[in-house]
Amino acid sequence: MERQPSKLPPIPVDAEALGARDLLRVALEALGRDRLALAASFGPEDTVILDLLVGLEPRPRVFTLDTGRLPDETYELIERIRRRYGIEIEFYFPDAAAVEAMVRANGPNLFYESLDHRLLCCDVRKVLPLRRALATVDGWITGLRRDQIATRARTPKIGLDLEHGLIWKVAPLADWTSADVWAYIRERELPYNALHDRGYASIGCAPCTRAVAPGEDPRAGRWWWERPESRECGLHVPHAALTDGPRSR
Ligand code: SF4
Protein backbone atom coordinates (compact mmCIF):
# COMPACT_ATOMS: atom_id res chain seq x y z
CA MET A 1 0.00 0.00 0.00
CA GLU A 2 2.99 2.32 -0.52
CA ARG A 3 1.87 5.61 -1.97
CA GLN A 4 2.17 5.95 -5.72
CA PRO A 5 3.32 9.28 -7.09
CA SER A 6 0.12 11.24 -7.62
CA LYS A 7 -1.20 14.75 -7.49
CA LEU A 8 -3.07 15.24 -4.27
CA PRO A 9 -6.69 16.11 -5.06
CA PRO A 10 -7.90 19.38 -3.60
CA ILE A 11 -10.68 19.41 -1.05
CA PRO A 12 -12.32 22.72 -1.98
CA VAL A 13 -14.72 23.17 0.89
CA ASP A 14 -15.31 25.61 3.69
CA ALA A 15 -14.30 22.97 6.21
CA GLU A 16 -14.80 25.21 9.20
CA ALA A 17 -18.53 25.44 8.47
CA LEU A 18 -18.96 21.65 8.32
CA GLY A 19 -19.96 19.41 11.20
CA ALA A 20 -17.90 16.32 11.98
CA ARG A 21 -19.99 13.86 9.96
CA ASP A 22 -20.12 16.08 6.86
CA LEU A 23 -16.40 16.70 7.09
CA LEU A 24 -15.73 12.96 7.13
CA ARG A 25 -18.07 12.47 4.18
CA VAL A 26 -16.25 15.13 2.15
CA ALA A 27 -12.87 13.59 2.97
CA LEU A 28 -14.06 10.08 2.07
CA GLU A 29 -15.56 11.26 -1.21
CA ALA A 30 -12.41 13.18 -2.12
CA LEU A 31 -9.81 10.60 -1.16
CA GLY A 32 -11.63 7.28 -1.18
CA ARG A 33 -11.76 4.57 1.48
CA ASP A 34 -8.36 3.07 0.63
CA ARG A 35 -6.42 6.34 0.85
CA LEU A 36 -7.88 7.78 4.04
CA ALA A 37 -7.30 6.32 7.50
CA LEU A 38 -8.19 7.11 11.07
CA ALA A 39 -5.13 7.22 13.33
CA ALA A 40 -6.53 5.81 16.55
CA SER A 41 -4.95 5.69 19.97
CA PHE A 42 -8.46 4.82 21.16
CA GLY A 43 -9.04 7.88 23.25
CA PRO A 44 -12.69 8.96 23.47
CA GLU A 45 -12.32 11.28 20.47
CA ASP A 46 -11.13 8.42 18.26
CA THR A 47 -14.08 6.27 19.27
CA VAL A 48 -16.54 9.06 18.42
CA ILE A 49 -14.90 9.54 15.02
CA LEU A 50 -14.92 5.80 14.36
CA ASP A 51 -18.61 5.64 15.22
CA LEU A 52 -19.33 8.48 12.75
CA LEU A 53 -17.07 6.92 10.14
CA VAL A 54 -18.69 3.48 10.07
CA GLY A 55 -22.01 5.22 9.44
CA LEU A 56 -20.50 6.46 6.17
CA GLU A 57 -18.18 3.59 5.28
CA PRO A 58 -18.69 0.15 6.88
CA ARG A 59 -15.03 -0.83 6.42
CA PRO A 60 -13.03 2.30 7.20
CA ARG A 61 -9.26 2.12 7.41
CA VAL A 62 -8.15 2.44 11.03
CA PHE A 63 -4.58 2.13 12.18
CA THR A 64 -2.96 2.26 15.59
CA LEU A 65 0.60 2.57 16.80
CA ASP A 66 1.35 -0.28 19.19
CA THR A 67 4.38 1.02 21.07
CA GLY A 68 4.76 -2.17 23.10
CA ARG A 69 4.23 -0.16 26.29
CA LEU A 70 0.47 0.38 26.17
CA PRO A 71 -1.68 -0.33 29.26
CA ASP A 72 -3.66 -3.59 29.30
CA GLU A 73 -6.84 -1.53 29.46
CA THR A 74 -6.11 -0.09 26.02
CA TYR A 75 -5.81 -3.57 24.50
CA GLU A 76 -9.07 -4.57 26.20
CA LEU A 77 -10.75 -1.52 24.67
CA ILE A 78 -9.37 -2.34 21.23
CA GLU A 79 -10.89 -5.83 21.46
CA ARG A 80 -14.26 -4.39 22.42
CA ILE A 81 -14.14 -1.99 19.50
CA ARG A 82 -13.15 -4.73 17.06
CA ARG A 83 -16.12 -6.81 18.20
CA ARG A 84 -18.60 -3.93 18.20
CA TYR A 85 -17.84 -2.72 14.69
CA GLY A 86 -16.48 -5.91 13.11
CA ILE A 87 -13.58 -3.98 11.62
CA GLU A 88 -9.96 -4.82 11.01
CA ILE A 89 -7.44 -2.59 12.75
CA GLU A 90 -4.00 -2.09 11.21
CA PHE A 91 -1.32 -2.38 13.91
CA TYR A 92 1.99 -0.66 13.31
CA PHE A 93 4.83 -1.79 15.57
CA PRO A 94 8.23 -0.19 16.11
CA ASP A 95 11.20 -1.62 14.30
CA ALA A 96 12.43 -4.48 16.50
CA ALA A 97 16.12 -3.87 15.87
CA ALA A 98 15.75 -0.17 16.73
CA VAL A 99 13.98 -0.98 20.02
CA GLU A 100 16.59 -3.58 20.90
CA ALA A 101 19.45 -1.19 20.26
CA MET A 102 17.78 1.63 22.20
CA VAL A 103 16.99 -0.52 25.22
CA ARG A 104 20.39 -2.20 25.19
CA ALA A 105 22.12 1.18 25.29
CA ASN A 106 19.78 3.05 27.63
CA GLY A 107 17.64 0.57 29.57
CA PRO A 108 13.89 -0.09 29.28
CA ASN A 109 12.80 3.04 31.16
CA LEU A 110 15.13 5.54 29.53
CA PHE A 111 12.34 8.13 29.18
CA TYR A 112 12.59 9.12 32.86
CA GLU A 113 16.27 10.07 32.52
CA SER A 114 16.10 13.08 30.22
CA LEU A 115 13.97 14.82 27.60
CA ASP A 116 16.34 13.59 24.90
CA HIS A 117 15.89 9.99 26.00
CA ARG A 118 12.12 10.40 26.17
CA LEU A 119 12.01 11.88 22.67
CA LEU A 120 14.23 9.08 21.41
CA CYS A 121 11.78 6.52 22.79
CA CYS A 122 8.78 8.36 21.27
CA ASP A 123 10.64 8.57 18.00
CA VAL A 124 11.41 4.86 17.83
CA ARG A 125 8.09 3.62 19.19
CA LYS A 126 5.67 6.19 17.71
CA VAL A 127 7.00 8.71 15.22
CA LEU A 128 8.78 6.30 12.86
CA PRO A 129 5.88 3.79 12.80
CA LEU A 130 3.50 6.69 12.12
CA ARG A 131 5.62 7.66 9.14
CA ARG A 132 5.28 4.12 7.75
CA ALA A 133 1.52 4.20 8.25
CA LEU A 134 1.12 7.57 6.58
CA ALA A 135 3.12 6.45 3.56
CA THR A 136 0.04 4.40 2.62
CA VAL A 137 -2.53 7.22 2.58
CA ASP A 138 -3.37 10.57 1.03
CA GLY A 139 -5.11 11.74 4.19
CA TRP A 140 -5.35 10.89 7.86
CA ILE A 141 -8.01 11.58 10.43
CA THR A 142 -7.09 12.54 13.97
CA GLY A 143 -8.97 13.22 17.19
CA LEU A 144 -7.22 16.54 17.84
CA ARG A 145 -9.32 19.18 19.60
CA ARG A 146 -8.40 22.83 19.91
CA ASP A 147 -8.93 23.06 23.64
CA GLN A 148 -6.73 20.07 24.53
CA ILE A 149 -3.47 21.99 24.75
CA ALA A 150 -2.16 25.39 23.65
CA THR A 151 -0.23 23.95 20.68
CA ARG A 152 -3.51 22.63 19.23
CA ALA A 153 -5.52 25.84 19.66
CA ARG A 154 -5.46 26.69 15.94
CA THR A 155 -5.88 23.19 14.55
CA PRO A 156 -7.70 23.47 11.19
CA LYS A 157 -10.49 21.02 10.46
CA ILE A 158 -8.72 20.12 7.24
CA GLY A 159 -5.16 21.14 6.47
CA LEU A 160 -2.21 19.94 4.48
CA ASP A 161 0.33 17.97 6.48
CA LEU A 162 3.65 18.87 4.92
CA GLU A 163 5.59 16.99 7.56
CA HIS A 164 4.38 13.68 6.18
CA GLY A 165 4.78 14.27 2.48
CA LEU A 166 1.89 16.51 1.46
CA ILE A 167 -1.17 14.65 2.64
CA TRP A 168 -4.42 15.87 4.09
CA LYS A 169 -4.93 15.92 7.84
CA VAL A 170 -8.53 15.94 8.99
CA ALA A 171 -9.61 16.90 12.51
CA PRO A 172 -13.41 16.49 12.56
CA LEU A 173 -13.69 17.22 16.28
CA ALA A 174 -11.43 20.29 16.24
CA ASP A 175 -14.20 22.52 17.61
CA TRP A 176 -15.69 19.97 20.03
CA THR A 177 -15.21 20.23 23.77
CA SER A 178 -14.44 17.32 26.05
CA ALA A 179 -18.04 17.56 27.31
CA ASP A 180 -19.31 17.20 23.71
CA VAL A 181 -17.22 14.07 23.25
CA TRP A 182 -18.39 12.44 26.47
CA ALA A 183 -22.02 13.35 25.79
CA TYR A 184 -21.79 11.52 22.45
CA ILE A 185 -20.13 8.52 24.08
CA ARG A 186 -22.81 8.22 26.74
CA GLU A 187 -25.66 8.78 24.29
CA ARG A 188 -24.38 6.06 21.94
CA GLU A 189 -23.10 3.85 24.80
CA LEU A 190 -19.71 3.60 23.14
CA PRO A 191 -16.90 1.66 24.80
CA TYR A 192 -14.13 3.67 26.44
CA ASN A 193 -10.89 2.96 28.28
CA ALA A 194 -11.52 1.69 31.83
CA LEU A 195 -8.68 3.94 33.06
CA HIS A 196 -10.93 6.98 32.54
CA ASP A 197 -13.04 5.78 35.47
CA ARG A 198 -9.85 5.75 37.59
CA GLY A 199 -8.94 9.39 37.04
CA TYR A 200 -6.95 9.08 33.83
CA ALA A 201 -7.81 11.87 31.40
CA SER A 202 -5.41 11.51 28.46
CA ILE A 203 -4.00 8.00 28.01
CA GLY A 204 -0.82 6.99 26.24
CA CYS A 205 1.90 4.50 27.16
CA ALA A 206 1.62 2.96 30.64
CA PRO A 207 4.91 4.26 32.09
CA CYS A 208 4.26 7.79 30.80
CA THR A 209 0.64 8.23 31.90
CA ARG A 210 -0.92 8.70 35.29
CA ALA A 211 -4.22 9.83 36.79
CA VAL A 212 -4.92 13.53 37.36
CA ALA A 213 -6.74 15.20 40.22
CA PRO A 214 -10.28 16.49 39.64
CA GLY A 215 -10.07 19.87 37.89
CA GLU A 216 -6.42 19.41 36.97
CA ASP A 217 -5.28 19.95 33.36
CA PRO A 218 -6.10 16.68 31.55
CA ARG A 219 -2.66 16.67 29.91
CA ALA A 220 -0.94 16.91 33.31
CA GLY A 221 -0.96 13.11 33.53
CA ARG A 222 1.25 12.71 30.44
CA TRP A 223 5.04 12.86 30.98
CA TRP A 224 4.30 14.59 34.28
CA TRP A 225 7.97 14.84 35.24
CA GLU A 226 8.67 17.20 32.32
CA ARG A 227 7.94 20.89 31.85
CA PRO A 228 4.46 21.41 30.31
CA GLU A 229 5.77 22.87 27.03
CA SER A 230 7.64 19.67 26.16
CA ARG A 231 4.72 17.32 26.67
CA GLU A 232 4.10 16.29 23.06
CA CYS A 233 5.34 13.10 21.45
CA GLY A 234 6.11 14.39 17.97
CA LEU A 235 3.12 12.80 16.25
CA HIS A 236 1.45 16.15 15.65
CA VAL A 237 3.54 19.01 14.31
CA PRO A 238 2.44 22.53 15.22
CA HIS A 239 -0.36 24.03 13.17
CA ALA A 240 2.09 26.26 11.33
CA ALA A 241 2.93 23.27 9.15
CA LEU A 242 -0.67 23.07 8.03
CA THR A 243 -2.44 25.23 5.51
CA ASP A 244 -6.09 25.76 4.64
CA GLY A 245 -5.60 24.64 1.08
CA PRO A 246 -3.24 22.86 -1.29
CA ARG A 247 0.12 24.33 -2.08
CA SER A 248 3.32 22.99 -3.49
CA ARG A 249 6.39 22.31 -1.36
S1 SF4 B 1 5.07 7.69 25.63
FE1 SF4 B 1 6.78 6.91 26.92
S2 SF4 B 1 6.95 4.67 26.55
FE2 SF4 B 1 5.60 5.59 24.95
S3 SF4 B 1 6.95 5.93 23.25
FE3 SF4 B 1 6.92 7.87 24.39
S4 SF4 B 1 8.57 7.76 25.93
FE4 SF4 B 1 8.27 5.68 25.07
Side-chain angles (χ1 to χ4, degrees), residues 114-172:
S114 71
L115 179 58
D116 283 349
H117 280 84
R118 201 273 286 169
L119 291 174
L120 171 66
C121 187
C122 281
D123 210 45
V124 167
R125 294 183 185 273
K126 292 182 175 181
V127 176
L128 297 178
L130 175 69
R131 212 170 280 168
R132 278 198 294 123
L134 294 185
T136 72
V137 298
D138 290 324
W140 58 311
I141 305 166
T142 80
L144 295 183
R145 290 187 299 101
R146 291 171 185 154
D147 70 0
Q148 282 170 323
I149 189 170
T151 53
R152 299 179 183 179
R154 293 179 57 204
T155 300
K157 289 190 178 179
I158 296 184
L160 276 176
D161 181 350
L162 308 181
E163 193 71 17
H164 295 105
L166 190 64
I167 59 175
W168 289 102
K169 186 171 180 180
V170 185

Side-chain angles (χ1 to χ4, degrees), residues 65-80:
L65 307 177
D66 187 338
T67 64
R69 302 297 299 258
L70 299 178
D72 286 346
E73 290 82 354
T74 300
Y75 294 110
E76 287 160 14
L77 173 62
I78 291 173
E79 287 293 16
R80 290 174 67 198

